Amino acid sequence: MTELAELAQLTATQLLDGYRKGEFSPVDATRAALERAEQLQPVVNAFVRIDAEAALAQAAESADRWRRGEPAGLVDGVPTTVKDIILLRGTPTLRGSKTVDSAGSWSEDAPSTARLREHGAVFLGKTTTPEYGWKGVTDSPLTGVTRNPYDSSRTAGGSSGGSAAAVALGAGPLSLGTDGGGSVRIPAAFCGIFALKPTYGRVPLYPASAFGTLAHVGPMTRTVADAALLMDVISRPDSRDWSALGPPVPDSYADSLSGGVRGLRVAYSASFGGQVPVRPAVAGAVRRAVERLAELGAHVTETDPDFTDPVDAFQTLWFSGAARVTQRLGSRDVELLDPGLREIRELGGRISALDYLAAVDVRMELGRRMGLFHESYDLLVTPTLPITAFEAGVEVPGGSGLRRWTGWTPFTYPFNMTQQPAATLPVGVDGDGLPVGLQLVAARHRDDLVLRAARALEEALRPAGPGSGGIRPVGS
């Protein structure tokens, strides 16, 4: 029997292989993940709710299916967590807010959790989010501050910070996050894991987000293979999402990871043409990883996409969404909101329809420019973020002079506006031992290409071993 601590470090694909061989059971893996979750919750505060009883019952059912040789699906028995923005049947979805009433039946799954349930996933619980997922760090009036697995004085990032911390620390190898401006990529980069923001519509979303077509659901995992496996589960159509895409092509992301990067045309933009000041340690780690891509046979050109920072347009769209998601609240509930959310809510409420449509025009032009860019380049590579994790409990780094989280995330939100697939991959650490992320972006509908290139780079950068190998968070 593998020790529980070792089981917690295994990836989903490794767990499934062990179930298949009878080396351990879903009950063993779930106990290991729950032990990690309970042990680390006081340190990092990654969970809103841990449901050990329900998880163990699901794991026992899965173990019985494996004994019969009849697994329910692709992730049967794999411990999984869900960001507390996404509906999970039988569990309140509180969205990080004191304004959401936990009473009620909570009788519906979101499309992604419905597919996971059909495929036998074991749900450990719900992970933390800032209120309504509004910012790039994870703290809320409801659950307090979520902290970084590498240094608990630092932020885990956001808004899917609880999911990133849980995955990094072994509290389940699979997690669902949401990304409206970088919200799976930001915390994944800060916490040293992999995450993919798929092409918009690739993973159905219901209920529809108040932030509109900026919002995506995506996998957060320790390895690219696990993310591809999770995509194979959650990227199937759902009639509740009118904007959902049809079945993916190729049919299986997991089966399309091989092939490497040889011959791919890769554009490397170190700073969006000098628009973004990037810390030297981040720039160095990303450049070394890009050099590995060239050694693997990619044709790398140092060049920049043809656009200026669309932050004003993004904030017009984002602040409008914040006003919309809180529109139903009475004055007493408004006083319960995160002060930053209350502020952008007020700004969003003053945006006119013409201003909103002007921001949509900027978005469409950005999409046109990136569409043309990808006629010349298969992939764009950038740093995921220009910095590493800063102090926990604040929206912006101390002394930065920035006002909003968008000031330190200029590489992420443009690709929510364009709806392109974008992933982050850990490529090293800075001088403080904090993870550095590299972002890979492809044309719309080429999620397979992002995953394939990420897998090739992951294999080139990381040694083999339990779980992801390579760098490890504190306590792992």
Side-chain angles (χ1 to χ4, degrees):
M1 219 316 265
T2 306
E3 295 291 334
L4 289 185
E6 294 175 353
L7 275 180
Q9 295 301 322
L10 297 184
T11 67
T13 54
Q14 289 168 333
L15 288 176
L16 291 164
D17 186 55
Y19 301 162
R20 195 173 295 111
K21 295 175 179 176
E23 295 173 348
F24 44 78
S25 77
V27 173
D28 300 324
T30 299
R31 284 178 176 154
L34 288 169
E35 182 179 89
R36 286 297 283 169
E38 296 286 359
Q39 176 188 13
L40 296 159
Q41 176 63 6
V43 180
V44 299
N45 187 32
F47 286 88
V48 178
R49 175 187 177 94
I50 301 170
D51 198 338
E53 183 178 355
L56 288 169
Q58 293 165 19
E61 293 172 358
S62 173
D64 185 57
R65 291 191 292 270
W66 280 102
R67 278 193 295 269
R68 299 196 312 266
E70 300 173 352
L74 295 178
V75 292
D76 198 348
V78 177
T80 303
T81 58
V82 178
K83 182 182 182 181
D84 199 34
I85 291 284
I86 301 170
L87 293 180
L88 178 64
R89 192 178 75 217
T91 302
T93 299
L94 302 179
R95 299 175 173 87
S97 183
K98 292 181 177 179
T99 69
V100 177
D101 186 357
S102 63
S105 62
W106 298 101
S107 59
E108 194 170 21
D109 277 325
S112 50
T113 51
R115 301 295 86 75
L116 279 164
R117 198 181 298 277
E118 291 164 3
H119 281 261
V122 171
F123 295 112
L124 301 178
K126 303 297 287 290
T127 56
T128 53
T129 176
E131 197 163 22
Y132 295 103
W134 80 270
K135 60 183 175 180
V137 293
T138 300
D139 58 73
S140 75
L142 183 68
T143 58
V145 178
T146 297
R147 299 178 179 275
N148 194 288
Y150 286 80
D151 179 346
S152 61
S153 72
R154 312 285 184 121
T155 180
S159 63
S160 306
S163 287
V167 169
L169 290 168
L174 302 179
S175 194
L176 288 178
T178 62
D179 190 316
S183 288
V184 299
R185 289 162 289 157
I186 294 165
F190 277 177
C191 294
I193 67 167
F194 179 81
L196 170 70
K197 179 193 75 66
T199 298
Y200 179 79
R202 180 72 281 145
V203 178
L205 178 62
Y206 169 85
S209 172
F211 297 100
T213 58
L214 294 172
H216 306 59
V217 174
M220 305 182 72
T221 60
R222 291 196 296 275
T223 66
V224 178
D226 276 6
L229 174 68
L230 186 47
M231 281 292 290
D232 282 347
V233 173
I234 64 176
S235 62
R236 301 299 157 176
D238 190 289
S239 59
R240 294 172 291 174
D241 183 353
W242 65 271
S243 62
L245 299 174
V249 178
D251 184 60
S252 171
Y253 293 110
D255 290 343
S256 304
L257 290 177
S258 61
V261 297
R262 183 168 298 280
L264 291 182
R265 301 165 300 168
V266 175
Y268 167 46
S269 179
S271 61
F272 280 170
Q275 296 181 73
V276 182
V278 179
R279 286 187 185 168
V282 173
V286 172
R287 181 172 289 276
R288 288 189 293 274
V290 171
E291 289 169 354
R292 291 293 290 131
L293 283 174
E295 291 168 5
L296 293 170
H299 301 304
V300 178
T301 303
E302 192 159 356
T303 188
D304 303 296
D306 178 26
F307 64 78
T308 56
D309 187 354
V311 65
D312 291 339
F314 176 79
Q315 288 187 158
T316 294
L317 301 172
W318 194 252
F319 293 177
S320 298
R324 177 60 177 163
V325 78
T326 57
Q327 185 179 27
R328 63 177 176 79
L329 301 180
S331 58
R332 185 173 298 178
D333 279 345
V334 168
E335 291 303 311
L336 297 175
L337 293 174
D338 180 329
L341 175 57
R342 194 161 60 238
E343 182 177 328
I344 70 163
R345 171 189 188 269
E346 292 168 0
L347 293 171
R350 296 197 292 267
I351 292 170
S352 71
L354 288 177
D355 289 338
Y356 187 92
L357 290 174
V360 172
D361 286 342
V362 171
R363 183 181 189 181
M364 290 190 291
E365 173 60 15
L366 183 62
R368 183 190 73 84
R369 288 171 182 258
M370 287 308 301
L372 292 174
F373 183 83
H374 284 290
E375 289 185 354
S376 299
Y377 300 101
D378 301 304
L379 291 168
L380 169 66
V381 174
T382 74
T384 307
L385 297 163
I387 60 175
T388 53
F390 52 89
E391 60 268 34
V394 295
E395 184 183 346
V396 300
S400 66
L402 299 172
R403 177 65 180 152
R404 293 266 79 100
W405 63 271
T406 45
W408 52 268
T409 60
F411 292 113
T412 59
Y413 55 77
F415 305 111
N416 292 81
M417 298 177 76
T418 62
Q419 303 188 342
Q420 295 171 246
T424 183
L425 179 77
V427 293
V429 294
D430 69 5
D432 294 323
L434 297 168
V436 172
L438 172 148
Q439 180 174 234
L440 291 146
V441 184
R444 292 173 71 243
H445 312 296
R446 291 310 311 268
D447 306 71
D448 62 312
L449 190 58
V450 170
L451 289 165
R452 192 180 99 199
R455 173 62 178 274
L457 187 54
E458 176 186 62
E459 290 182 335
L461 294 176
R462 296 183 180 179
S468 63
I471 58 176
R472 292 285 186 86
V474 174
S476 64

